[in-house]
C-alpha cells in the first residue's frame, strides 16, 4: 500500500475508528512499540502504521494549529512548512473579493484561512499525497464549498480568471532547508513571472530572503509572532502597498486552546525622510528591536519612536532615557555596563546574587553556553546579560526586563 492509498484508507469508517483508537493510545517513544503490536492484532499492519503516523503528527501539530489539529491531517514536510493559523488569517485579510489561485498549497493552511475569511480559492500541488491531505482538511473543517484542491504542477497553472495568486514554494530538499530562492521548488523567479500575470499576488518566502531577489515594485512584509520572525511575504500588483517594506507583529497563539492572545496586529512602515538613527552613549534603557523590524530595515523608526539612539551604527540595539511601550521592541532597564571579561562579569553577578541568567547577544562572538558554564552563576536572583560591542570593544550589560507602569501606553 503506497502512501496515498494508506492515507485514503484512514478516511474510511474502519480507518477513522483506528485513528481514534491510536490517538488515545500511548504514543511516547517508550510506549509506541507496544501500542503498534497491540493494534496490529486486530488491524492490517499498513493501516496501523498510517494511523500511528497520523496520530503522532496531530499531537505535534497541536502547538501550531491548536484544537483544529485533532480534526486535521498532516505529512511531516507539510506540517513543517504550513503557515501558522494566526499568520495565515492575517494574510487572508489582505486578499480582496474574487477567486484566488494558490500554487504549492501543501496541506492547506493558507487555503483554510482564506476560506474562513470568505475568499474562494483553488489550491494546486504536485504531490498526490499532499493533495489528498489538503482535500481531507478542507472537508474536515467544513470548507469544501469555498475551497478546492487539484493535483498539478505549479509552473503549468494558468492564472487567467483569478483576481490573485498566492504561492508557497517548497524550501526543503533531501539535503535540508533551502536558503537560495533559485533553489526553491519551483524557483522563486519562475513563480514571480507566473504570479505577475494576475492582478495581484503574494508569495510566501523565508525571512532571510535576499533583498536583491525582490522585484523593485513589490512590497515585502516580515511577520513575527511570539517574539520570533516566522516568515516573509512578497506582495505584488494590486495587493502591494506603497511602502516597499513593513514589519508586522502578531499576537501569539496559545497552543492549549488555539486562542490568540489579546491584541491586534501592529505594523511598522518606513517614515519618509527619517534617515539613519543617531549614535550616542548608553542611556537608562535598552530596546531590542523585534527580528521583523531588523529584517525590514526599520530600526530607525523604532529609535525615533522611543527617543533613542544606537551605541554602534552596525548593531541593532537602541538605548534611550525614555520608557515607552512598543510592540516593535523589548525594553530592559540597564543596571551596569562593563568592559567584557568573564572574571569581571562573574564578580558582578555574584555581587547581585544572580544565579538565574538570561544571556542574549548581538555583534558578539561569545559562545553563550560556554560562557554560562564559566560564570558558574549562583544565587536566587534573576539577571539578563546582554553581550555586544561598541566598535571593536566587547561589552556586557546587566539588565532587567521592564515592567511597564499602567500609565505608559504604546505610541
Amino acid at each position: 500500500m503506497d502512501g496515498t492509498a494508506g492515507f485514503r484508507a484512514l478516511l474510511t469508517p474502519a480507518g477513522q475508528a483506528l485513528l481514534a483508537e491510536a490517538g488515545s493510545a500511548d504514543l511516547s517513544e517508550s510506549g509506541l512499540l507496544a501500542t503498534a503490536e497491540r493494534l496490529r492484532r486486530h488491524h492490517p499492519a499498513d493501516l496501523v502504521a498510517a494511523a500511528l503516523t497520523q496520530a503522532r503528527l496531530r499531537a505535534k501539530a497541536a502547538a501550531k494549529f491548536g484544537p483544529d489539529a485533532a480534526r486535521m491531517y498532516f505529512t511531516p514536510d507539510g506540517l513543517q512548512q504550513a503557515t501558522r493559523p494566526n499568520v495565515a488569517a492575517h494574510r487572508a485579510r489582505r486578499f480582496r473579493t474574487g477567486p484566488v489561485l494558490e500554487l504549492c498549497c501543501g496541506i492547506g493552511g493558507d487555503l483554510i484561512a482564506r476560506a474562513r475569511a470568505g475568499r474562494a480559492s483553488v489550491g494546486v500541488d504536485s504531490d498526490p499525497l499532499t493533495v489528498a491531505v489538503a482535500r481531507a482538511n478542507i472537508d474536515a473543517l467544513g470548507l469544501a464549498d469555498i475551497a478546492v484542491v487539484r493535483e498539478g504542477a505549479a509552473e503549468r497553472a494558468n492564472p487567467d480568471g483569478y483576481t490573485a495568486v498566492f504561492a508557497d514554494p517548497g524550501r526543503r530538499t533531501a539535503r535540508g532547508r533551502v536558503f537560495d530562492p533559485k533553489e526553491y521548488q519551483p524557483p522563486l523567479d519562475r513563480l514571480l513571472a507566473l504570479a505577475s500575470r494576475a492582478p495581484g499576488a503574494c508569495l510566501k518566502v523565508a525571512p532571510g530572503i535576499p533583498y536583491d531577489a525582490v522585484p523593485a515594485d513589490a512590497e515585502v512584509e516580515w511577520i513575527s509572532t511570539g517574539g520570533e520572525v516566522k516568515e516573509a511575504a512578497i506582495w505584488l500588483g494590486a495587493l502591494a502597498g506603497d511602502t516597499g517594506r513593513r514589519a508586522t507583529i502578531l499576537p501569539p497563539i496559545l497552543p492549549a486552546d488555539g486562542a490568540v492572545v489579546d491584541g491586534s496586529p501592529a505594523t511598522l512602515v518606513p517614515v519618509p525622510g527619517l534617515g539613519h538613527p543617531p549614535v550616542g552613549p548608553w542611556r537608562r534603557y535598552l530596546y531590542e528591536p523585534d527580528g521583523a523590524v531588523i529584517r525590514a530595515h526599520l530600526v530607525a523608526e523604532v529609535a525615533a519612536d522611543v527617543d533613542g539612539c544606537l551605541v554602534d551604527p552596525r548593531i541593532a540595539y537602541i538605548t534611550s532615557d525614555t520608557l515607552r511601550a512598543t510592540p516593535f521592541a523589548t525594553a530592559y532597564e540597564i543596571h551596569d555596563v562593563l568592559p567584557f571579561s568573564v572574571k569581571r562579569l562573574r564578580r558582578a553577578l555574584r555581587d547581585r546574587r544572580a544565579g538565574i541568567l538570561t544571556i542574549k547577544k548581538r555583534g558578539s562572538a561569545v559562545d553563550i553556553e560556554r560562557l554560562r558554564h564559566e560564570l558558574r552563576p549562583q544565587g536566587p536572583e534573576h539577571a539578563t546579560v546582554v553581550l555586544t560591542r561598541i566598535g571593536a570593544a566587547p561589552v556586557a550589560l546587566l539588565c532587567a526586563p521592564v515592567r511597564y507602569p499602567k500609565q505608559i501606553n504604546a505610541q
Side-chain angles (χ1 to χ4, degrees):
M1 185 183 297
D2 63 27
T4 304
F7 174 74
R8 286 177 176 150
L10 282 181
L11 303 180
T12 65
Q16 290 291 288
L18 175 58
L19 183 55
E21 187 177 356
S24 62
D26 184 355
L27 300 176
S28 66
E29 292 296 333
S30 59
L32 184 62
L33 181 59
T35 295
E37 290 177 349
R38 177 175 61 81
L39 294 177
R40 282 199 293 263
R41 296 189 195 114
H42 308 286
H43 305 279
D46 286 347
L47 189 58
V48 169
L52 289 175
T53 297
Q54 200 57 234
R56 298 189 83 192
L57 285 171
R58 281 181 169 181
K60 184 177 181 181
K64 178 180 278 191
F65 285 92
D68 279 346
R71 294 186 290 164
M72 292 177 65
Y73 302 89
F74 304 93
T75 66
D77 288 344
L79 175 57
Q80 178 72 31
Q81 184 157 322
T83 305
R84 290 177 176 271
N86 60 335
V87 177
H90 163 73
R91 184 161 47 227
R93 287 190 287 269
R94 287 190 66 169
F95 285 85
R96 299 162 189 172
T97 57
V100 178
L101 173 64
E102 179 170 341
L103 309 177
C104 316
C105 69
I107 63 170
D110 281 277
L111 277 173
I112 291 166
R114 284 196 308 278
R116 284 175 166 170
R119 275 63 167 178
S121 299
V122 174
V124 176
D125 202 282
S126 61
D127 178 62
L129 174 58
T130 300
V131 169
V133 169
R135 286 173 176 165
N137 285 334
I138 295 298
D139 289 339
L141 297 175
L143 301 170
D145 59 337
I146 197 169
V148 176
V149 183
R150 297 173 181 166
E151 183 180 337
E155 293 171 275
R156 291 198 291 272
N158 184 358
D160 292 349
Y162 293 92
T163 59
V165 167
F166 175 75
D168 184 5
R171 294 179 294 282
R172 283 184 175 273
T173 66
R175 302 188 305 274
R177 188 173 296 176
V178 168
F179 297 97
D180 184 352
K182 294 179 182 178
E183 296 184 9
Y184 286 3
Q185 298 177 346
L188 181 60
D189 55 351
R190 296 183 191 174
L191 285 177
L192 285 168
L194 191 154
S196 65
R197 293 164 51 191
C202 176
L203 285 77
K204 175 181 168 183
V205 294
I209 181 76
Y211 298 100
D212 59 6
V214 178
D217 58 349
E219 179 188 50
V220 188
E221 179 182 28
W222 282 267
I223 299 175
S224 178
T225 182
E228 184 179 351
V229 186
K230 294 300 182 182
E231 62 183 61
I234 299 175
W235 296 91
L236 300 168
L239 296 182
D242 58 4
T243 64
R245 61 189 190 278
R246 66 172 62 199
T248 297
I249 314 299
L250 299 181
I253 283 180
L254 296 178
D257 59 8
V260 175
V261 175
D262 288 344
S264 301
T267 298
L268 186 66
V269 297
V271 175
L274 183 60
H276 297 287
V279 176
W282 291 110
R283 301 175 185 175
R284 181 175 177 181
Y285 299 105
L286 169 71
Y287 288 89
E288 179 184 30
D290 187 274
V293 170
I294 296 171
R295 293 283 189 183
H297 290 176
L298 295 171
V299 173
E301 280 71 10
V302 176
D305 184 54
V306 300
D307 301 323
C309 66
L310 306 180
V311 293
D312 184 290
R314 294 163 294 181
I315 306 294
Y317 277 141
I318 299 166
T319 187
S320 175
D321 285 324
T322 300
L323 179 58
R324 183 169 294 147
T326 171
F328 302 110
T330 303
Y332 302 86
E333 185 171 12
I334 300 173
H335 293 163
D336 206 352
V337 180
L338 309 169
F340 175 75
S341 80
V342 174
K343 183 177 180 180
R344 186 180 290 112
L345 184 55
R346 184 190 301 126
R347 184 186 310 118
L349 292 171
R350 286 180 177 174
D351 289 345
R352 291 165 172 78
R353 302 177 65 217
I356 307 170
L357 301 185
T358 298
I359 304 177
K360 309 175 75 66
K361 71 174 187 176
R362 186 165 290 166
S364 170
V366 173
D367 183 296
I368 288 180
E369 292 310 311
R370 179 177 178 181
L371 174 63
R372 191 185 299 275
H373 176 75
E374 292 174 339
L375 290 174
R376 302 190 297 275
Q378 297 179 3
E381 303 300 324
H382 294 250
T384 298
V385 176
V386 177
L387 307 175
T388 187
R389 60 178 170 81
I390 303 175
V395 297
L397 284 70
L398 296 180
C399 308
V402 165
R403 295 182 178 179
Y404 291 103
K406 291 183 178 180
Q407 69 268 24
I408 294 183
N409 298 314
Q411 300 296 307

